[in-house]
Structures are given as structure tokens and as C-alpha cells.
Amino acid sequence: MAALSDRMRALVQPRLADFEPYDPAFTPTRINLSANENTYPMPAAVRAELDRALAATPLNRYPDPMSGELRAAIAERHGVEPRQVCVGNGGDELLFNFLFAFGGAGRTLLNLPPAFSEYELFAQMTETAVVNVWRDPATFEIPEDEALAAAAEADLVIVTSPNNPTGNLIAPEFAERLCAACRGLVMVDEAYIEFARPGASVQPLLERCPNLVILHTLSKAFGEAGIRCGYVLATADVIDVFAAVRQIYSVNVLTQAAGLVAIRERAAFAPVVEKIRAERARMLAGLEGLTAGAIGAVVWPSEGNFLLVRLPGAAEIRRRLRDDYDILVRDFSAAPGLAGCLRITVGTPEENDAVLRALTDLVKGETR
Ligand SMILES: *Cc1c(COP(=O)(O)O)cnc(C)c1O
């Protein structure tokens, strides 16, 4: 997207002069596997319940600022107190508020890239300095000793598990050591945790790590990216800070109603998540078959609802997938540490078949 106008560059706070309007690189396509959304239809009974809940929600009153009912249901889901939950307008709002409240000028965030690009963006917006400890370029595993040493010098840590876009998990023991090493707060972003193997969540650490913050979202496993609902779990005094800095009415009444249905009816999503995990294994095998024949091509295993694949000519393959096959995937080939990489969301069996067929055509074309 275009840079800001000279007039605006002169008017905005100087540190924002190089910011640009966000470009989601979105083009309408038949098959969109670019944003890690859940592309399965919502279970019909849940959708019916949700429609009833929305229809019964008055719109003339301001929302409950702290989303009381939803907060209680979330607390019940995770076995914590409602005071340990803060709901936000998507996980994004909470990420921003985390850096806004606990970062700022003179503070340092430890980031473990390649990771979610918003961490650095929000750090810049809030004048928080960023220290990057890069993941291993071949496996995307975190160099743990180096990260722990950096955590001891940092005011904040954000670690993503499963990591977007690489799919790696951290061991809960490592999260615990990060919490012990860092004098400030450690956020573990579990946006994709429902897709990971059982026991992967750092949730059991909440009781003994008072500086742990866990981020969740309803945008991925629960198929509600459009309603914008995420939440953090932490000790009650940390939650008080989130409650103090938030836009009072950021979580609107429809979002609260839709979020409540998703949390209450969560068991109905388990078969969808199971199906996505099975499709992920099938896609991994399919992509492995494809990359085995192509020099410089790699596919990484993933604990999320997406796969990262390195392909020669990735940017061109992504363009042709879009223009010739009407399939959108995410191009990371120009991102630091991700040369030649595309991220493909695991979709429905039909969508995944279409991706594998198209990629087989294109990769054969590239290596011919
Ligand atoms: C999708 C995502 C989120 C949260 O997304 P929202 O839609 O704002 O709830 C947070 N972290 C990561 C790594 C994500 O991929």
C-alpha cells in the first residue's frame, strides 16, 4: 500500500511517519486459504443457537463492558476465576493493549521470529523496543538458552504456540523457564492451541507463574473470525490492567452473544477440529510428495491449522494459484527468515484437493 502523504507525515507523531495503511493482500477467490480461518461450515445446531441468540439481543443498550456472561463461561472452560479473564475485540486488541500497558518507551519486548508480524507492529506503535532472537532457520525451533538469556534482560516476552506461520509448539517447561527468567510479563499466544496435540497448552502453569498471560481467540478453531472475539487469561491483578486501559465498549453485544454460544457449545466444534487435524496430516503427506521431487523445496510439520511450505518460485506460484486456479494462499517469500515460503491454511477436503492438484501442476511446470 501507499506511504502516507507528505502532509500527513508532517502531522502524525514522528515515529508513525513510516506507517502505512494495512494491506491484507486479499483478493476475492473461489478458495481462500490465506488467513487461517476455519473454512468448515459452523455445526448446524450451533449456528441455529447463535442465530436465536443474536435475534434476542437488544441493540439499543451499551454492552456490558467486561462481557460478564461470556467471561464467566470462558472462566468455566478453563477452570479459572472470572476475574482472571479479559475479553477483547479479537486477540489483536488485547495484543495491542498488552504492549500499550506494559511496554512503551524505555521498555523492551523479546520476540522470537519468524512469528506473528503484529507483535512488532504494535511494539513500534507503542514505542516499545524489540529484541529478536531468531528461530533455527531449518527447524524454526527456538534456541532456548539464548532466548532465556534475552528474557532476563527484557521487560516483556511474547511467544506463539503453535507458532504462526511455522507451526512449532513450545514445551510448557520452556514457558515456565521464560516466566522465571523475565522480570516482567510473558505472553503465550495460543491462538491455534485447539489444533495442537493434547497437553500442549501452558494453561496448567497459570497457578504457579504469576507473570504468565495466555492469549486465546475465537477466530480460528471456533470459526468466528468475523465477530472479533479474543481473550486473555492471567492473574486478577494483571487483568485489572487490561480492564483499565481497554476501550470500554470494544466488545459489542452481538460479539458477546456469538462468543457465548461458541464457548457453551464448544463440544460441537471438536469433530471439526479433528477433521482439520486429519486433513493437515493428509496435506502434509501430499506436500511432502510434491516437495520430494523439487530441489530446495521443504514442508514443515505443523500443530496449527496451516502448513508452511518452501517452493522454488514461491511468489510466482502464489500468483498463479490466485490468477489461474482461483486459490488464495499467504505469501511469506519476502518476509525475513521465510524466503521462498508460502503458508497454506488447511481447508475442507475439496479445497485441499484443489490446492494439491494445482500445486502439482505448478511445481511440475517449475522444475520441467
Ligand atoms: C489469528 C491470530 C491471533 C488473533 O486473531 P484475532 O482474529 O484478532 O482474534 C493472535 N495471534 C496469532 C498468532 C494469530 O494468528
Side-chain angles (χ1 to χ4, degrees):
M1 276 242 176
L4 300 182
S5 71
D6 288 345
R7 187 168 72 101
M8 286 304 118
R9 290 174 64 89
L11 288 179
V12 295
Q13 294 191 51
R15 66 198 166 81
L16 299 181
D18 290 327
F19 279 61
E20 294 177 10
Y22 176 69
D23 175 9
F26 179 74
T27 342
T29 41
R30 182 172 57 95
I31 296 179
N32 179 358
L33 299 173
S34 70
N36 294 347
E37 295 144 338
N38 183 338
T39 68
Y40 289 66
M42 184 173 279
V46 181
R47 181 68 210 218
E49 180 68 27
L50 196 150
D51 288 342
R52 274 196 297 279
L54 295 182
T57 301
L59 303 181
N60 61 317
R61 301 289 187 188
Y62 283 107
D64 172 354
M66 289 301 285
S67 306
E69 248 191 303
L70 174 56
R71 191 187 200 195
I74 290 167
E76 195 249 335
R77 174 186 183 202
H78 293 284
V80 299
E81 297 293 320
R83 316 181 288 140
Q84 293 182 268
V85 179
C86 183
V87 182
N89 185 290
D92 287 3
E93 180 188 36
L94 298 161
L95 280 169
F96 181 86
N97 288 351
F98 180 65
L99 286 158
F100 176 65
F102 298 104
R107 305 269 178 92
T108 301
L109 166 72
L110 169 61
N111 185 40
L112 302 161
F116 197 34
S117 57
E118 300 210 347
Y119 308 148
E120 279 205 73
L121 179 72
F122 293 157
Q124 282 169 19
M125 286 187 190
T126 57
E127 277 188 289
T128 312
V130 177
V131 167
N132 284 322
V133 169
W134 287 84
R135 289 164 181 265
D136 181 286
T139 63
F140 297 118
E141 291 297 325
I142 295 167
E144 295 191 354
D145 292 338
E146 202 185 325
L148 288 167
E153 304 298 319
D155 299 283
L156 290 175
V157 181
I158 304 182
V159 56
T160 331
S161 182
N163 187 42
N164 174 13
T166 65
N168 308 62
L169 284 177
I170 57 164
E173 296 72 33
F174 174 61
E176 186 163 15
R177 291 170 71 199
L178 276 177
C179 288
C182 184
R183 61 179 171 268
L185 298 182
V186 175
M187 177 183 273
V188 180
D189 181 343
E190 293 196 341
Y192 299 97
I193 198 67
E194 290 84 358
F195 302 107
R197 67 179 72 130
S201 174
V202 299
Q203 162 94 41
L205 299 180
L206 261 186
E207 267 183 30
R208 55 179 189 277
C209 298
N211 60 338
L212 176 64
V213 180
I214 308 176
L215 182 73
H216 285 274
T217 179
L218 302 189
S219 296
K220 310 285 164 50
F222 293 100
E224 289 195 339
I227 72 157
R228 313 304 306 125
C229 188
Y231 57 92
V232 283
L233 308 176
T235 58
D237 60 346
V238 171
I239 294 301
D240 282 347
V241 176
F242 278 96
V245 302
R246 60 187 299 276
Q247 301 287 315
I248 303 170
Y249 299 125
S250 68
V251 185
N252 71 70
V253 289
L254 298 174
T255 296
Q256 292 188 27
L260 184 60
V261 171
I263 295 292
R264 281 195 180 144
E265 304 298 325
R266 61 190 175 277
F269 291 88
V272 180
V273 168
E274 237 358 271
K275 182 71 188 165
I276 293 171
R277 288 162 53 96
E279 281 294 297
R280 177 179 71 198
R282 190 173 75 83
M283 281 295 277
L284 178 67
L287 291 169
E288 275 170 351
L290 206 79
T291 50
I295 296 156
V298 191
V299 56
W300 284 270
S302 166
E303 295 276 342
N305 65 339
F306 53 85
L307 288 161
L308 189 73
V309 55
R310 173 170 287 147
L311 293 168
E316 175 64 8
I317 287 179
R318 185 260 185 185
R319 190 192 63 74
R320 293 199 51 199
L321 275 178
R322 183 192 62 196
D323 297 345
D324 302 347
Y325 296 88
D326 222 4
I327 297 172
L328 196 66
V329 301
R330 187 64 181 264
D331 182 9
F332 281 100
S333 61
L338 296 170
C341 290
L342 302 177
R343 189 194 64 197
I344 305 173
T345 305
V346 177
T348 62
E350 299 72 37
E351 289 172 330
N352 300 332
D353 284 341
V355 169
L356 286 176
R357 270 198 309 272
L359 278 179
T360 304
D361 283 1
L362 290 171
V363 170
K364 272 198 208 125
E366 285 284 318
T367 53
R368 197 163 41 211

